[in-house]
Amino acid sequence: MDHVSAFDEPLKKLLGGATAKVMAEHLDLHTVGDLLHHYPRRYEERGRLTALTELPLDEHVTVVAQVADARIMMFNNGRGKRLEVTLTDGSGRLQLVFFGHGVHKPHKELLPGRRAMFAGKASVFNRKMQLAHPTYQLLDAQDEDEATEAVDAFAGQLLPIYPACKQLDSWRIAKAVDTVLPSAQDAVDPLPATLRDGRGFVPLPEALLKIHRPRTRADVEAAKERLRWDEAFVLQVALARRRYADTQLPAVARRSVPGGLLDAFDAKLPFTLTEGQHKVTAEIFGDLATEHPMHRLLQGEVGSGKTMVALRAMLTVVDAGGQAAMLAPTEVLAQQHHRSVTEMMGELAEGGMLGGSDRGTKVVLLTGSMGVPARRRALLDLVTGEAGIVIGTHALIEDKVQFHDLGLVVVDEQHRFGVEQRDALRSKGKQPPHLLVMTATPIPRTVAMTVFGDLETSVLDQLPAGRSPIASHVVPAKDKPHFLDRAWERVREEVENGHQAYVVCPRIGDDADEAAEKKKGKKEAAPGDGAEKRPPLAVLEIAEQLRKGPLAGLRVEVLHGRMHPDDKDDVMRRFAAGRADVLVATTVIEVGVNVPNATAMVIMDADRFGVSQLHQLRGRVGRGSAPGLCLLVSEAHEASPARARLSAVAATLDGFELSRIDLEQRREGDVLGQAQSGVRSSLRVLSVIDDEEVIAAAREEAVRVVADDPALERLPELRTALDALLDKDREEYLDKG
């Protein structure tokens, strides 16, 4: 049998239609290869019991335990009956319940003293942990004669516990794996032999056998070490090939010209650049001066001066005769960038206009909602080259937009910038433009190497001088309501001292999103956080309450995504000019809003936001000389994971530290899953958190292999593995970098 086809064999041929259908629909497993790469999540030692005291709520769990007692209870005047079984494992007790006709079989089988493996969803009933109607598999031999040898064979064995779903228990998956395991012999080994031998890895068929049916913990480790490398290496080769292909593209080198726009701009800067800004600028200018397109990721904290670095790169390109475009994810942000760039440049942004500098250029804005005349004028300025800098949304990539000579594209906020967009932009330059992607979300190095692996990375980690420290505190609104009253007093105090404040809410409010939010609100609240009972707090309602209550007499304005762009702009302008005291807003203020006079922020229902989002929001205060204050209001109770998250945010201002905490709290599948599709299914044993060394080493090896053999002609097995990784959705993911 051809080795490729054994892995490509559809599961329904081997397992029967019903099982195959559940695997396809609920676990996204379609072929023998998919199932062989569906690794156990953990292993139970049959001799040892799972701690019943540590069951996660509302998750599908598998436990091994002993029946302590079992009794039938009557209810409904004897018309209904239920079986209650108490399990024990030495650490704790767990209740099982079976109802109605489902009680006969377990009543006969689950006798005190019996041991079994149980699977179900852990919930709380009458303040006790319970599994309702679990499926189970008895673990003791039925026949006394077999008992002793069966128990011996049993106790030493590792039971694989697979990621399961309600429709398919772990042990049914284990049975299916047994059926396809012989095909592991046909696994194509993607690692080059020299690499495999050099690092002493077990062959792939052996690794697959050992991860599914280990005899010892050492088997599991050997298998994981090997499979981790496969994942990291194949992914890094894919990325290295993309980087290599990019270096083969031609681009116009853009070198800085003395005495041009950049020098004029630097001369009027009221402050000196930080050491970090100098270092990163040198990396970017170096890339711009080469004849291959730059592909660089610039990451830095909110307020670390990324925009300044990007603007200086744009001015260099204009000096060199090209044009630069900056893409923002939303119209509001595009308008804000346009405003801050024209303010920073002053008369240099008014090239060709009265009072403009003769060295200046034109900076135009291009968004979807612009009126026809303004749009026509902007397009004309671009095609003639009159405008050296254009700032806009994705409207910039449309067919109608033509550039005179596009030299640099700056993409703001991880706009997952797909390959089709890159191609569309490439066709706008005489040659592919240089690309700089900026993000204010600190990304741990390993995630940068996987999610943004086709970009070179620059990091700005110093805050510019003049930024003030921000104090953050958690306000437990439920346990200590007077803390919330004090929070509003603090806001009043800031306003009395001539400053301004933000109040952030998770939701806009009014009927339109009420129904949707009610549904979502129920789902989102973490169990036991006391938040299930109501939808998240809304901007419109909170603004109303504040105007009437604790902030009566202050000028309270609202800002949210459903407002007309002109109204949004109007509110922002008033707030920036100090004509409003308090801005009650959704996360539209998360990026790009710059009001140095705003010193306080109150985040309502803070537990509804992610760690990095809270960090982003907090970065809006303390931008001037006065210290900032951020109050995280939450009804989550003290022991909940939600509160732990908030305390972590309050405890540190270091975004990289927080992004690591964030990673550890969400499973890494989420991190990557949010960043793109497709890779989720390809990272199974590789942990983006713990395997930094593996990822870094795999990246080095991958670069070496690709430099030596870009088309992988001498490594057909690696090519096969790449094709498997890069089926459609993953190809797309890699293209989004």
Side-chain angles (χ1 to χ4, degrees):
M1 190 199 288
D2 172 21
H3 57 236
V4 183
S5 60
F7 259 45
D8 291 340
E9 200 72 53
L11 285 170
K12 56 176 173 283
K13 271 178 122 166
L14 291 154
L15 301 179
T19 308
K21 188 168 184 243
V22 172
M23 287 195 166
E25 284 175 11
H26 296 280
L27 297 168
D28 196 22
L29 305 174
H30 306 274
T31 63
V32 167
D34 290 345
L35 181 52
L36 284 174
H37 286 305
H38 186 72
Y39 308 132
R41 174 176 290 159
R42 56 192 170 83
Y43 303 85
E44 285 300 348
E45 285 176 32
R46 279 181 164 148
R48 258 203 9 229
L49 301 172
T50 327
L52 293 181
T53 45
E54 287 166 24
L55 291 187
L57 249 188
D58 277 342
E59 271 190 34
H60 209 74
V61 297
T62 303
V63 298
V64 177
Q66 194 157 17
V67 177
D69 84 336
R71 57 188 65 183
I72 294 258
M73 318 287 272
M74 295 302 198
F75 58 94
N76 238 352
N77 291 332
R79 283 199 299 280
K81 58 176 164 181
R82 67 173 183 266
L83 171 66
E84 287 187 1
V85 179
T86 307
L87 301 181
T88 174
D89 69 347
S91 77
R93 297 169 90 75
L94 174 68
Q95 191 107 34
L96 312 178
V97 281
F98 299 89
F99 295 100
H101 298 304
V103 306
H104 307 304
K105 188 164 174 273
H107 191 215
K108 284 210 298 280
E109 295 183 336
L110 298 177
L111 306 170
R114 271 283 167 87
R115 293 162 45 107
M117 186 146 86
F118 301 88
K121 203 169 187 182
S123 57
V124 169
F125 182 71
N126 273 344
R127 302 232 288 278
K128 280 205 196 91
M129 270 289 218
Q130 72 163 27
L131 298 185
H133 273 290
T135 45
Y136 60 89
Q137 188 182 34
L138 295 171
L139 294 182
D140 350 46
Q142 310 305 311
D143 187 338
E144 283 309 308
D145 304 340
E146 298 165 21
T148 42
E149 71 193 75
V151 168
D152 292 345
F154 232 78
Q157 215 180 348
L158 293 172
L159 289 178
I161 307 289
Y162 287 91
C165 60
K166 191 163 111 210
Q167 298 76 1
L168 205 60
D169 304 322
S170 169
W171 49 84
R172 295 220 178 90
I173 296 173
K175 284 200 176 103
V177 170
D178 284 336
T179 310
V180 302
L181 209 48
S183 305
Q185 291 313 318
D186 302 309
V188 183
D189 200 326
L191 294 189
T194 49
L195 169 63
R196 197 173 56 229
D197 303 344
R199 291 185 178 265
F201 291 137
V202 299
L204 184 56
E206 188 185 326
L208 288 170
L209 221 56
K210 283 184 164 165
I211 198 151
H212 288 292
R213 298 295 170 262
R215 288 192 307 281
T216 61
R217 290 274 167 196
D219 279 356
V220 176
E221 274 323 299
K224 278 191 171 167
E225 187 187 21
R226 162 68 220 247
L227 294 166
R228 230 176 247 141
W229 251 89
D230 281 22
E231 288 179 8
F233 181 70
V234 174
L235 183 59
Q236 290 302 334
V237 167
L239 294 164
R241 288 185 76 189
R242 158 115 331 118
R243 288 195 301 274
Y244 179 84
D246 285 342
T247 62
Q248 302 307 299
L249 291 168
V252 181
R254 312 279 176 175
R255 295 184 182 83
S256 46
V257 177
L261 254 173
L262 180 65
D263 286 354
F265 176 76
D266 284 350
K268 56 192 277 286
L269 274 183
F271 51 81
T272 55
L273 298 178
T274 64
E275 200 180 317
Q277 284 173 318
H278 277 301
K279 183 179 94 23
V280 169
T281 298
E283 292 168 351
I284 293 172
F285 283 12
D287 284 357
L288 288 175
T290 64
E291 315 220 319
H292 303 294
M294 159 169 82
H295 284 113
R296 193 168 278 281
L297 172 70
L298 171 57
Q299 48 177 119
E301 289 286 355
V302 172
S304 58
K306 289 186 302 296
T307 316
M308 172 60 70
V309 168
L311 177 55
R312 292 182 71 247
M314 288 160 79
L315 296 175
T316 298
V317 169
V318 175
D319 276 343
Q323 290 168 295
M326 185 182 229
L327 286 180
T330 63
E331 301 217 343
V332 175
L333 268 176
Q335 288 159 348
Q336 280 162 16
H337 276 312
H338 181 249
R339 208 166 29 241
S340 64
V341 164
T342 45
E343 276 166 17
M344 285 199 266
M345 286 177 64
E347 76 280 5
L348 296 174
E350 296 165 1
M353 293 188 249
L354 265 173
S357 156
D358 51 354
R359 276 191 293 196
T361 185
K362 221 175 195 178
V363 178
V364 298
L365 177 68
L366 189 64
T367 60
S369 67
M370 277 166 76
V372 176
R375 195 178 163 81
R376 202 174 283 144
R377 202 163 48 247
L379 289 172
L380 189 66
D381 285 339
L382 286 180
V383 83
T384 58
E386 185 87 6
I389 294 179
V390 56
I391 295 172
T393 53
H394 268 174
L396 272 177
I397 301 176
E398 284 170 20
D399 297 345
K400 296 195 260 318
V401 183
Q402 291 304 321
F403 290 85
H404 177 63
D405 177 12
L406 179 61
L408 168 66
V409 178
V410 177
V411 180
D412 185 35
E413 252 337 294
Q414 254 144 308
H415 221 116
R416 305 298 308 153
F417 195 57
V419 91
E420 29 332 320
Q421 281 106 324
R422 273 193 209 177
D423 284 344
L425 269 174
R426 275 183 184 158
S427 61
K428 303 215 178 282
K430 295 181 174 140
Q431 287 186 328
H434 297 282
L435 176 69
L436 180 64
V437 180
M438 300 197 296
T439 171
T441 312
I443 305 164
R445 176 165 160 253
T446 42
V447 178
M449 282 192 291
T450 41
V451 180
F452 294 98
D454 59 338
L455 300 170
E456 301 296 333
T457 308
S458 294
V459 180
L460 269 178
D461 44 16
Q462 291 169 291
L463 284 188
R467 289 297 300 262
S468 304
I470 305 169
S472 309
H473 304 286
V474 179
V475 177
K478 205 167 198 152
D479 316 341
K480 305 185 173 151
H482 58 284
F483 275 41
L484 185 57
D485 303 337
R486 176 73 188 112
W488 299 126
E489 276 171 30
R490 284 290 290 113
V491 170
R492 286 197 92 96
E493 286 164 17
E494 289 299 311
V495 172
E496 278 157 19
N497 290 330
H499 297 302
Q500 292 157 282
Y502 298 102
V503 177
V504 183
C505 305
R507 197 166 65 93
I508 297 171
D510 82 19
D511 306 339
D513 61 357
E514 196 76 28
E517 283 295 349
K518 268 208 178 91
K519 260 183 28 216
K520 212 165 96 198
K522 278 200 184 72
K523 271 206 211 76
E524 275 178 8
D529 278 359
E532 301 98 320
K533 295 171 200 51
R534 59 166 177 75
L537 294 171
V539 167
L540 300 172
E541 292 147 28
I542 292 288
E544 203 43 43
Q545 289 168 23
L546 292 176
R547 284 185 185 119
K548 287 183 178 147
L551 300 185
L554 301 187
R555 297 167 300 176
V556 176
E557 296 261 10
V558 300
L559 180 71
H560 58 74
R562 281 212 302 271
M563 289 162 64
H564 186 280
D566 293 350
D567 297 339
K568 276 193 246 186
D569 226 39
D570 200 38
V571 169
M572 268 322 300
R573 259 199 210 93
R574 281 207 302 280
F575 188 67
R579 293 204 298 279
D581 302 315
V582 178
L583 189 60
V584 183
T586 53
T587 52
V588 290
I589 63 155
E590 184 176 352
V591 270
V593 176
N594 189 12
V595 181
N597 190 41
T599 51
M601 176 178 286
V602 180
I603 302 179
M604 307 303 292
D605 271 349
D607 43 276
R608 305 266 178 164
F609 298 95
V611 171
S612 50
Q613 204 175 20
L614 290 168
H615 182 60
Q616 288 282 358
L617 286 164
R618 166 172 68 183
R620 301 291 116 217
V621 295
R623 297 176 79 86
S625 49
L629 172 69
C630 177
L631 301 173
L632 305 165
V633 180
S634 164
E635 288 188 3
H637 61 71
E638 211 161 340
S640 65
R643 270 287 282 282
R645 260 202 331 266
L646 295 181
S647 307
V649 174
T652 176
L653 289 174
D654 177 344
F656 285 91
E657 177 56 28
L658 285 174
S659 69
R660 186 159 281 124
I661 292 170
D662 200 13
L663 253 185
E664 281 164 12
Q665 291 198 331
R666 298 186 300 180
R667 303 214 169 89
E668 49 272 357
D670 275 7
V671 177
L672 297 170
Q674 283 189 332
Q676 79 285 310
S677 74
V679 80
R680 237 200 332 268
S681 33
S682 73
L683 289 193
R684 294 190 174 91
V685 277
L686 191 68
S687 146
V688 190
I689 306 162
D690 307 323
D691 295 328
E692 187 162 332
E693 281 73 46
V694 175
I695 294 172
R699 181 174 165 128
E700 277 171 34
E701 292 276 8
V703 169
R704 202 171 306 138
V705 166
V706 171
D708 181 46
D709 179 6
L712 306 179
E713 279 161 9
R714 299 191 293 284
L715 298 167
E717 294 83 2
L718 177 54
R719 259 211 328 270
T720 308
L722 265 186
D723 295 339
L725 172 77
L726 302 180
D727 56 27
K728 278 296 30 78
D729 56 335
R730 304 197 188 123
E731 183 81 76
E732 243 161 66
Y733 134 65
L734 285 174
D735 286 342
K736 285 180 181 159

